[in-house]
Amino acid sequence: MKRSRWLWAVTAACLLLEPVQAQKGPEKFVALTFDDGPTPGVTERLLAGLAERYVSATFFLCGYRMENAPQLVEQIAENGHELGVHGYRHCYLHDLPRDEVCTELTSTAEQIAALTGRRPTVLRPPGGLLSDTVRETAAEYGFPIILWNVDTMDWCCDNPQTVAQRIVETVEDGSIVLLHDLHDSSVQGVLLAIDQLEAQGYQFCTVSELALVHNVTLEPGVAYGSF
């Protein structure tokens, strides 16, 4: 009798000491994307904030801006982020003839490859504006077209809280968020949003990783707004 009581007591003590496993909800992933950079004095602060939080993102770069800050392109790549094509001049591709669309895509891609040793594999046309010519040229050169389903309008908003609110209130699993590394308010806003969304169980990844998580094969010339 004494032995059975002793065994019961030991068993109960072990159960009490066993760590309780937290209940986890379904995993939620989102891709943060940044257009129009790199911007000296802004992109560095963004990269530092992302690194502190172990967050990966996708940067759609402009050729003329890379010429002025090649070291930032290298840093973006070294930090493990995905690099994509945003055109050389940041002109609306849907208005251009095919030969000019080709030049915009190939010259920007060659710049990125020369600076990083990595050929970009995704395209975002400025403004997200498309035409049959843009789609066909993207398909020819092997670029899936990445759009978005969360627009922060951060390029015309100087309030970090508003930028963060637009992300947090709109995002869902599989979202692609449109941002720009042009202004400090965008950097502050997205970092606020990251901290809030991480507390809600969100994880951050590149666009290509987000497609993989959702079992989507990115096809050249096809446009994706979310997964």
Side-chain angles (χ1 to χ4, degrees), residues 58-150:
T58 300
F59 288 76
F60 291 97
L61 305 176
C62 292
Y64 79 97
R65 297 181 74 89
M66 286 191 283
E67 286 189 355
N68 296 324
Q71 75 284 355
L72 287 178
V73 181
E74 296 170 359
Q75 187 179 349
I76 293 169
E78 288 170 0
N79 285 21
H81 301 292
E82 182 174 35
L83 288 78
V85 170
H86 201 46
Y88 185 85
R89 298 172 293 168
H90 196 272
C91 53
Y92 293 137
L93 302 181
H94 75 302
D95 284 334
L96 301 181
R98 185 185 180 283
D99 61 331
E100 290 189 38
V101 174
C102 292
T103 299
E104 287 287 324
L105 303 192
T106 56
S107 61
T108 310
E110 288 167 3
Q111 269 184 293
I112 293 173
L115 289 169
T116 68
R118 290 157 43 184
R119 181 186 182 277
T121 58
V122 287
L123 162 70
R124 174 173 287 162
L129 299 172
L130 295 172
S131 66
D132 289 342
T133 298
V134 173
R135 291 186 180 90
E136 291 165 4
T137 307
E140 180 181 348
Y141 288 99
F143 292 120
I145 300 167
I146 307 302
L147 303 179
W148 58 86
N149 71 326
V150 177

Side-chain angles (χ1 to χ4, degrees), residues 33 35-36 124 127 148-167 170 176-183 185-187 189-190:
T33 66
D35 289 8
D36 297 357
R124 174 173 287 162
W148 58 86
N149 71 326
V150 177
D151 187 351
T152 63
M153 297 291 290
D154 63 318
W155 58 274
C156 62
C157 176
D158 60 2
N159 187 325
Q161 296 288 349
T162 300
V163 173
Q165 183 179 10
R166 288 171 178 169
I167 299 171
T170 312
I176 301 173
V177 182
L178 171 62
L179 292 142
H180 302 76
D181 51 327
L182 294 174
H183 308 296
S185 54
S186 297
V187 175
V190 73

Side-chain angles (χ1 to χ4, degrees), residues 50-61:
L50 295 177
E52 288 173 4
R53 293 161 176 78
Y54 302 98
V55 167
S56 295
T58 300
F59 288 76
F60 291 97
L61 305 176

